[in-house]
Amino acid sequence: MSHVPHELHEEFPDKADALHALKLSNAHFAKLADEYHALNREIHRIETEVEPASDDALEELKKKRLHLKDEIAALLAAA
């Protein structure tokens, strides 16, 4: 398994302009993006064994990241 961080601009490569615009104009979107970024970094540190965590804890973090990604995708689709 590769341990590549799932950055938003990589998850939504065709939405780079919309990501940037929403971060500037929508406080809720900016908060979600910041939460996603922090959670994503934490997951990456665990996957690369920089930070220890149980498999269950890692799976829970991944579920939270997926939920945030779904919320972000919905806001991007509505934009």
Coordinates of all heavy atoms in Angstrom, one line a residue:
M1 N 0.8 -1.2 0.0 CA 0.0 0.0 0.0 C 0.9 1.2 0.0 O 1.8 1.3 0.8 CB -0.9 0.0 1.3 CG -1.7 1.2 1.4 SD -2.5 1.5 3.0 CE -3.3 0.0 3.4
S2 N 0.6 2.2 -0.9 CA 1.3 3.4 -0.9 C 0.7 4.3 0.2 O -0.5 4.3 0.4 CB 1.3 4.1 -2.2 OG 0.0 4.5 -2.5
H3 N 1.6 5.1 0.8 CA 1.1 6.0 1.8 C 1.2 7.5 1.3 O 2.0 8.3 1.8 CB 2.0 5.8 3.1 CG 1.9 4.4 3.6 ND1 0.7 3.9 4.1 CD2 2.8 3.5 3.7 CE1 0.9 2.7 4.5 NE2 2.2 2.4 4.3
V4 N 0.4 7.7 0.3 CA 0.3 9.1 -0.3 C -0.8 9.9 0.4 O -1.9 9.4 0.5 CB 0.1 9.0 -1.8 CG1 0.0 10.3 -2.4 CG2 1.1 8.1 -2.4
P5 N -0.5 11.1 0.9 CA -1.5 11.9 1.4 C -2.6 12.2 0.4 O -2.3 12.4 -0.7 CB -0.8 13.1 1.9 CG 0.5 13.2 1.2 CD 0.8 11.8 0.8
H6 N -3.8 12.3 0.9 CA -5.0 12.5 0.0 C -5.3 14.0 0.1 O -6.3 14.4 0.7 CB -6.2 11.7 0.4 CG -5.9 10.2 0.3 ND1 -6.4 9.5 -0.8 CD2 -5.3 9.3 1.1 CE1 -6.0 8.2 -0.7 NE2 -5.3 8.1 0.5
E7 N -4.5 14.8 -0.5 CA -4.8 16.3 -0.5 C -6.0 16.6 -1.3 O -6.3 15.9 -2.3 CB -3.6 17.1 -1.0 CG -2.3 16.8 -0.3 CD -2.3 17.3 1.2 OE1 -3.1 18.2 1.5 OE2 -1.5 16.8 2.0
L8 N -6.7 17.6 -0.9 CA -8.0 18.0 -1.6 C -7.8 18.3 -3.1 O -8.6 17.9 -3.9 CB -8.6 19.2 -0.9 CG -9.4 18.9 0.4 CD1 -9.9 20.2 1.0 CD2 -10.5 17.9 0.1
H9 N -6.7 19.0 -3.4 CA -6.4 19.3 -4.8 C -6.1 18.1 -5.6 O -6.3 18.0 -6.9 CB -5.3 20.3 -5.0 CG -4.0 19.9 -4.6 ND1 -3.5 19.9 -3.3 CD2 -3.0 19.3 -5.3 CE1 -2.3 19.4 -3.2 NE2 -1.9 19.0 -4.4
E10 N -5.7 17.0 -5.0 CA -5.5 15.7 -5.7 C -6.8 14.9 -5.8 O -7.0 14.2 -6.7 CB -4.4 14.9 -5.0 CG -3.1 15.5 -5.0 CD -2.1 14.9 -4.0 OE1 -2.5 14.2 -3.1 OE2 -0.9 15.1 -4.2
E11 N -7.6 15.1 -4.7 CA -8.9 14.3 -4.7 C -9.9 15.0 -5.7 O -10.8 14.3 -6.3 CB -9.5 14.4 -3.3 CG -8.7 13.6 -2.3 CD -8.7 12.1 -2.5 OE1 -9.8 11.6 -2.9 OE2 -7.7 11.5 -2.3
F12 N -9.8 16.3 -5.9 CA -10.7 17.0 -6.9 C -9.8 17.8 -7.9 O -9.9 19.0 -7.8 CB -11.6 17.9 -6.1 CG -12.4 17.2 -5.0 CD1 -12.1 17.3 -3.7 CD2 -13.6 16.5 -5.4 CE1 -12.9 16.7 -2.7 CE2 -14.3 15.9 -4.4 CZ -14.0 16.0 -3.1
P13 N -9.1 17.1 -8.7 CA -8.1 17.8 -9.6 C -8.8 18.8 -10.6 O -8.2 19.8 -10.9 CB -7.4 16.7 -10.3 CG -8.3 15.5 -10.2 CD -9.0 15.7 -8.9
D14 N -10.0 18.5 -10.9 CA -10.8 19.4 -11.9 C -11.5 20.5 -11.2 O -12.1 21.4 -11.8 CB -11.7 18.6 -12.7 CG -12.7 17.8 -11.8 OD1 -12.4 17.5 -10.7 OD2 -13.9 17.6 -12.3
K15 N -11.4 20.6 -9.9 CA -12.1 21.6 -9.1 C -11.1 22.6 -8.3 O -11.5 23.2 -7.3 CB -13.0 20.9 -8.0 CG -14.0 20.0 -8.6 CD -15.2 20.7 -9.2 CE -16.3 19.8 -9.6 NZ -17.4 20.4 -10.2
A16 N -9.9 22.7 -8.8 CA -8.9 23.5 -8.1 C -9.4 24.9 -7.9 O -9.2 25.5 -6.9 CB -7.6 23.5 -8.9
D17 N -9.9 25.5 -9.0 CA -10.4 26.9 -8.9 C -11.6 27.1 -7.9 O -11.6 28.0 -7.1 CB -10.8 27.4 -10.3 CG -9.6 27.6 -11.2 OD1 -8.5 27.7 -10.7 OD2 -9.8 27.6 -12.4
A18 N -12.5 26.1 -8.0 CA -13.6 26.1 -7.1 C -13.2 25.9 -5.6 O -13.7 26.6 -4.7 CB -14.6 25.1 -7.5
L19 N -12.2 25.1 -5.4 CA -11.7 24.9 -4.0 C -11.1 26.2 -3.5 O -11.4 26.6 -2.4 CB -10.6 23.8 -4.0 CG -11.0 22.4 -4.1 CD1 -9.7 21.5 -4.4 CD2 -11.6 21.9 -2.8
H20 N -10.3 26.8 -4.3 CA -9.7 28.1 -3.9 C -10.8 29.2 -3.6 O -10.7 29.8 -2.6 CB -8.7 28.6 -4.9 CG -8.0 29.8 -4.5 ND1 -7.1 29.9 -3.5 CD2 -8.1 31.1 -5.0 CE1 -6.6 31.1 -3.4 NE2 -7.2 31.8 -4.3
A21 N -11.7 29.3 -4.5 CA -12.7 30.3 -4.4 C -13.6 30.1 -3.1 O -13.9 31.0 -2.4 CB -13.6 30.3 -5.6
L22 N -14.0 28.8 -2.9 CA -14.8 28.5 -1.8 C -14.1 28.7 -0.4 O -14.7 29.1 0.5 CB -15.4 27.1 -1.9 CG -16.6 26.9 -2.8 CD1 -16.8 25.4 -3.0 CD2 -17.8 27.6 -2.2
K23 N -12.8 28.4 -0.4 CA -12.0 28.6 0.8 C -12.0 30.1 1.2 O -12.0 30.5 2.3 CB -10.6 28.1 0.6 CG -10.4 26.7 0.7 CD -8.9 26.3 0.6 CE -8.7 24.8 0.4 NZ -7.3 24.5 0.2
L24 N -12.0 31.0 0.1 CA -12.0 32.4 0.4 C -13.4 33.0 0.7 O -13.5 34.0 1.5 CB -11.4 33.1 -0.8 CG -9.9 32.8 -1.1 CD1 -9.5 33.5 -2.4 CD2 -9.0 33.2 0.0
S25 N -14.4 32.4 0.1 CA -15.7 33.0 0.2 C -16.7 32.4 1.2 O -17.7 32.9 1.5 CB -16.4 33.1 -1.2 OG -16.6 31.8 -1.6
N26 N -16.4 31.1 1.6 CA -17.3 30.4 2.4 C -16.6 29.9 3.7 O -15.8 29.0 3.6 CB -17.9 29.2 1.6 CG -18.9 28.4 2.3 OD1 -18.9 28.2 3.5 ND2 -19.9 27.9 1.5
A27 N -17.0 30.5 4.8 CA -16.3 30.2 6.1 C -16.5 28.7 6.5 O -15.6 28.1 7.0 CB -16.8 31.1 7.2
H28 N -17.7 28.2 6.2 CA -18.0 26.8 6.6 C -17.1 25.9 5.7 O -16.5 24.9 6.2 CB -19.5 26.5 6.4 CG -19.8 25.1 6.6 ND1 -19.7 24.5 7.9 CD2 -20.3 24.1 5.8 CE1 -20.1 23.2 7.8 NE2 -20.4 22.9 6.6
F29 N -17.0 26.2 4.4 CA -16.2 25.4 3.6 C -14.7 25.4 4.0 O -14.0 24.4 4.0 CB -16.3 25.8 2.1 CG -15.5 25.0 1.1 CD1 -16.1 23.8 0.6 CD2 -14.2 25.3 0.8 CE1 -15.4 23.0 -0.3 CE2 -13.5 24.5 -0.1 CZ -14.1 23.3 -0.6
A30 N -14.2 26.6 4.3 CA -12.9 26.8 4.8 C -12.6 26.0 6.0 O -11.5 25.4 6.2 CB -12.6 28.3 5.0
K31 N -13.6 26.0 7.0 CA -13.4 25.2 8.2 C -13.4 23.7 7.9 O -12.5 23.0 8.4 CB -14.6 25.5 9.1 CG -14.5 24.7 10.4 CD -15.7 25.1 11.3 CE -15.7 24.3 12.6 NZ -16.4 23.1 12.5
L32 N -14.2 23.2 7.0 CA -14.2 21.8 6.6 C -12.9 21.5 5.9 O -12.3 20.4 6.2 CB -15.3 21.5 5.6 CG -16.7 21.5 6.2 CD1 -17.7 21.3 5.0 CD2 -16.9 20.4 7.2
A33 N -12.4 22.3 5.0 CA -11.1 22.1 4.3 C -10.0 22.0 5.3 O -9.1 21.2 5.2 CB -10.9 23.2 3.3
D34 N -10.0 22.9 6.3 CA -8.9 22.9 7.3 C -9.0 21.6 8.2 O -7.9 21.0 8.5 CB -9.0 24.1 8.3 CG -8.6 25.4 7.6 OD1 -8.0 25.4 6.5 OD2 -8.9 26.5 8.1
E35 N -10.2 21.2 8.6 CA -10.3 20.0 9.3 C -9.9 18.8 8.5 O -9.2 17.9 9.0 CB -11.8 19.8 9.7 CG -12.3 20.7 10.8 CD -13.8 20.5 11.1 OE1 -14.3 19.3 10.9 OE2 -14.4 21.4 11.5
Y36 N -10.2 18.8 7.2 CA -9.8 17.7 6.3 C -8.3 17.6 6.3 O -7.7 16.6 6.4 CB -10.4 17.9 4.9 CG -10.0 16.8 4.0 CD1 -10.8 15.7 3.8 CD2 -8.8 16.9 3.2 CE1 -10.4 14.7 2.9 CE2 -8.4 15.9 2.4 CZ -9.2 14.8 2.2 OH -8.8 13.8 1.4
H37 N -7.7 18.8 6.1 CA -6.2 18.9 6.0 C -5.5 18.3 7.2 O -4.6 17.5 7.2 CB -5.8 20.3 5.7 CG -4.3 20.5 5.6 ND1 -3.6 20.0 4.5 CD2 -3.4 21.0 6.4 CE1 -2.3 20.3 4.7 NE2 -2.2 20.9 5.8
A38 N -6.0 18.8 8.4 CA -5.4 18.3 9.7 C -5.6 16.8 9.9 O -4.6 16.1 10.3 CB -6.0 19.1 10.8
L39 N -6.8 16.3 9.6 CA -7.0 14.9 9.7 C -6.2 14.1 8.7 O -5.7 13.0 9.1 CB -8.5 14.7 9.5 CG -9.1 13.3 9.8 CD1 -8.8 12.9 11.3 CD2 -10.6 13.3 9.6
N40 N -6.1 14.6 7.5 CA -5.4 13.9 6.5 C -3.9 13.8 6.9 O -3.3 12.8 6.7 CB -5.5 14.7 5.2 CG -5.0 13.9 4.0 OD1 -5.3 12.7 3.9 ND2 -4.3 14.6 3.1
R41 N -3.3 14.9 7.4 CA -1.9 14.8 7.9 C -1.8 13.8 9.0 O -0.8 13.1 9.1 CB -1.5 16.2 8.3 CG -1.3 17.2 7.2 CD -0.1 16.7 6.4 NE 0.0 17.5 5.2 CZ 0.7 17.1 4.1 NH1 1.3 15.9 4.1 NH2 0.7 17.8 3.0
E42 N -2.7 13.8 9.9 CA -2.6 12.8 11.0 C -2.6 11.4 10.5 O -1.8 10.5 10.9 CB -3.8 13.0 12.0 CG -3.7 12.1 13.2 CD -4.8 12.4 14.2 OE1 -5.6 13.3 14.0 OE2 -4.9 11.7 15.2
I43 N -3.5 11.1 9.6 CA -3.6 9.8 9.0 C -2.3 9.4 8.3 O -1.8 8.3 8.4 CB -4.8 9.7 8.0 CG1 -6.1 9.7 8.8 CG2 -4.7 8.4 7.1 CD1 -7.3 9.9 7.9
H44 N -1.7 10.4 7.5 CA -0.5 10.1 6.8 C 0.7 9.8 7.8 O 1.5 8.9 7.5 CB -0.1 11.4 5.9 CG 1.1 11.2 5.1 ND1 1.1 10.2 4.1 CD2 2.3 11.8 5.1 CE1 2.3 10.3 3.5 NE2 3.0 11.2 4.1
R45 N 0.7 10.6 8.9 CA 1.8 10.3 9.9 C 1.6 8.9 10.5 O 2.6 8.2 10.7 CB 1.7 11.4 11.0 CG 2.2 12.7 10.6 CD 2.4 13.6 11.8 NE 1.2 13.8 12.6 CZ 0.3 14.7 12.4 NH1 0.4 15.5 11.4 NH2 -0.8 14.8 13.2
I46 N 0.4 8.5 10.7 CA 0.2 7.1 11.2 C 0.6 6.1 10.2 O 1.3 5.1 10.5 CB -1.3 6.9 11.7 CG1 -1.6 7.8 12.9 CG2 -1.6 5.5 12.0 CD1 -3.1 7.9 13.2
E47 N 0.1 6.3 9.0 CA 0.4 5.3 7.9 C 1.9 5.2 7.6 O 2.4 4.1 7.2 CB -0.3 5.7 6.6 CG -1.8 5.4 6.7 CD -2.5 5.8 5.4 OE1 -2.0 6.7 4.6 OE2 -3.6 5.3 5.2
T48 N 2.6 6.2 7.8 CA 4.1 6.2 7.5 C 4.9 5.9 8.8 O 6.1 6.0 8.8 CB 4.6 7.5 6.9 OG1 4.2 8.6 7.8 CG2 4.0 7.7 5.6
E49 N 4.1 5.5 9.9 CA 4.7 5.1 11.1 C 5.5 6.1 11.8 O 6.4 5.8 12.6 CB 5.5 3.8 10.9 CG 4.6 2.6 10.4 CD 5.4 1.3 10.2 OE1 6.6 1.3 10.5 OE2 4.7 0.4 9.8
V50 N 5.2 7.4 11.6 CA 5.8 8.5 12.3 C 5.1 8.6 13.7 O 5.7 9.0 14.7 CB 5.7 9.8 11.5 CG1 6.1 11.0 12.3 CG2 6.5 9.7 10.2
E51 N 3.8 8.3 13.7 CA 3.0 8.4 14.9 C 2.3 7.1 15.1 O 1.7 6.5 14.2 CB 1.9 9.5 14.6 CG 1.3 10.1 15.8 CD 0.4 11.3 15.4 OE1 1.0 12.3 15.1 OE2 -0.8 11.2 15.5
P52 N 2.3 6.5 16.3 CA 1.7 5.2 16.5 C 0.2 5.4 16.7 O -0.3 6.4 17.2 CB 2.3 4.7 17.8 CG 2.7 6.0 18.5 CD 3.1 7.0 17.5
A53 N -0.5 4.3 16.3 CA -2.0 4.3 16.5 C -2.4 2.8 16.2 O -1.8 2.1 15.4 CB -2.7 5.2 15.6
S54 N -3.5 2.4 16.9 CA -4.1 1.1 16.6 C -4.8 1.1 15.2 O -5.1 2.2 14.7 CB -5.1 0.7 17.7 OG -6.2 1.5 17.6
D55 N -5.0 -0.1 14.7 CA -5.7 -0.2 13.4 C -7.1 0.4 13.6 O -7.6 1.0 12.6 CB -5.8 -1.7 13.0 CG -4.4 -2.2 12.5 OD1 -3.5 -1.4 12.3 OD2 -4.3 -3.4 12.4
D56 N -7.7 0.1 14.7 CA -9.1 0.6 14.9 C -9.1 2.2 14.9 O -10.0 2.8 14.3 CB -9.7 0.1 16.2 CG -10.0 -1.4 16.2 OD1 -10.1 -1.9 15.1 OD2 -10.1 -2.0 17.3
A57 N -8.1 2.8 15.6 CA -8.1 4.2 15.6 C -7.8 4.8 14.2 O -8.5 5.8 13.8 CB -6.9 4.7 16.5
L58 N -7.0 4.1 13.4 CA -6.7 4.6 12.1 C -8.0 4.5 11.2 O -8.3 5.4 10.5 CB -5.6 3.8 11.5 CG -5.2 4.1 10.0 CD1 -4.8 5.6 9.9 CD2 -4.1 3.2 9.5
E59 N -8.7 3.4 11.3 CA -9.9 3.2 10.6 C -10.9 4.3 10.9 O -11.6 4.8 10.0 CB -10.5 1.8 10.7 CG -9.7 0.7 10.0 CD -9.5 1.0 8.5 OE1 -10.5 1.3 7.8 OE2 -8.4 0.9 8.1
E60 N -11.0 4.6 12.2 CA -12.0 5.6 12.6 C -11.6 7.0 12.0 O -12.5 7.8 11.6 CB -12.0 5.7 14.1 CG -13.2 6.5 14.7 CD -14.5 6.0 14.3 OE1 -14.7 4.8 14.2 OE2 -15.4 6.8 14.0
L61 N -10.3 7.3 12.0 CA -9.9 8.6 11.4 C -10.2 8.6 9.9 O -10.6 9.6 9.3 CB -8.4 8.7 11.6 CG -7.9 9.0 13.1 CD1 -6.4 9.0 13.2 CD2 -8.5 10.3 13.6
K62 N -10.0 7.5 9.2 CA -10.3 7.4 7.8 C -11.7 7.6 7.5 O -12.1 8.2 6.5 CB -9.8 6.0 7.2 CG -8.3 5.9 7.1 CD -7.9 4.6 6.5 CE -6.4 4.5 6.2 NZ -6.0 3.2 5.6
K63 N -12.6 7.1 8.4 CA -14.0 7.3 8.2 C -14.4 8.8 8.4 O -15.2 9.3 7.6 CB -14.8 6.4 9.3 CG -14.8 5.0 9.0 CD -15.5 4.2 10.0 CE -15.4 2.7 9.8 NZ -16.1 1.9 10.9
K64 N -13.8 9.4 9.4 CA -14.0 10.8 9.5 C -13.5 11.6 8.3 O -14.2 12.6 7.9 CB -13.3 11.4 10.8 CG -13.9 10.9 12.1 CD -13.1 11.4 13.3 CE -13.7 10.9 14.6 NZ -12.9 11.3 15.7
R65 N -12.4 11.2 7.8 CA -11.9 11.9 6.6 C -12.8 11.7 5.4 O -13.1 12.7 4.7 CB -10.5 11.4 6.2 CG -9.9 12.1 5.0 CD -8.5 11.6 4.7 NE -8.5 10.2 4.3 CZ -7.4 9.5 4.1 NH1 -6.2 10.1 4.1 NH2 -7.4 8.2 3.7
L66 N -13.3 10.5 5.2 CA -14.3 10.3 4.2 C -15.6 11.1 4.3 O -16.1 11.6 3.3 CB -14.6 8.8 4.1 CG -15.5 8.3 3.0 CD1 -14.9 8.7 1.6 CD2 -15.7 6.8 3.1
H67 N -16.0 11.2 5.6 CA -17.2 12.0 5.8 C -17.0 13.5 5.4 O -17.8 14.1 4.8 CB -17.6 11.9 7.3 CG -18.8 12.7 7.6 ND1 -20.1 12.4 7.2 CD2 -18.9 13.9 8.4 CE1 -20.9 13.3 7.7 NE2 -20.2 14.2 8.4
L68 N -15.8 14.0 5.8 CA -15.5 15.4 5.5 C -15.4 15.5 4.0 O -15.8 16.5 3.4 CB -14.1 15.8 6.1 CG -14.2 16.1 7.6 CD1 -12.8 16.3 8.2 CD2 -15.0 17.4 7.9
K69 N -14.7 14.6 3.3 CA -14.6 14.6 1.9 C -16.0 14.6 1.2 O -16.2 15.4 0.2 CB -13.8 13.4 1.4 CG -13.5 13.4 -0.1 CD -12.7 12.2 -0.5 CE -12.7 12.1 -2.0 NZ -12.0 10.9 -2.5
D70 N -16.9 13.8 1.7 CA -18.3 13.8 1.2 C -18.9 15.2 1.3 O -19.6 15.7 0.4 CB -19.1 12.8 1.8 CG -18.7 11.4 1.4 OD1 -18.0 11.2 0.4 OD2 -19.2 10.4 2.1
E71 N -18.8 15.8 2.5 CA -19.3 17.2 2.7 C -18.7 18.2 1.8 O -19.4 19.0 1.2 CB -19.1 17.6 4.2 CG -20.0 16.9 5.2 CD -19.8 17.6 6.5 OE1 -20.2 18.7 6.7 OE2 -19.3 16.9 7.4
I72 N -17.4 18.1 1.6 CA -16.7 19.0 0.7 C -17.2 18.8 -0.7 O -17.4 19.8 -1.5 CB -15.2 18.8 0.8 CG1 -14.7 19.4 2.2 CG2 -14.4 19.5 -0.3 CD1 -13.3 19.0 2.6
A73 N -17.3 17.5 -1.2 CA -17.8 17.2 -2.5 C -19.2 17.8 -2.8 O -19.4 18.3 -3.8 CB -17.8 15.7 -2.7
A74 N -20.0 17.7 -1.8 CA -21.4 18.2 -1.9 C -21.4 19.8 -2.1 O -22.1 20.3 -2.9 CB -22.2 17.8 -0.7
L75 N -20.5 20.4 -1.3 CA -20.4 21.9 -1.4 C -19.8 22.3 -2.8 O -20.2 23.3 -3.4 CB -19.6 22.5 -0.3 CG -20.3 22.4 1.1 CD1 -19.3 22.8 2.2 CD2 -21.5 23.4 1.1
L76 N -18.8 21.5 -3.3 CA -18.3 21.8 -4.6 C -19.3 21.6 -5.7 O -19.3 22.4 -6.6 CB -17.1 20.9 -4.8 CG -15.8 21.2 -4.1 CD1 -14.7 20.1 -4.3 CD2 -15.2 22.5 -4.7
A77 N -20.1 20.5 -5.6 CA -21.1 20.3 -6.6 C -22.2 21.4 -6.6 O -22.7 21.7 -7.7 CB -21.8 18.9 -6.3
A78 N -22.5 21.9 -5.5 CA -23.5 23.0 -5.4 C -22.9 24.4 -5.8 O -23.7 25.2 -6.1 CB -24.0 23.1 -4.0
A79 N -21.6 24.5 -5.9 CA -21.0 25.8 -6.3 C -21.1 26.1 -7.7 O -21.2 25.2 -8.5 CB -19.5 25.8 -5.8

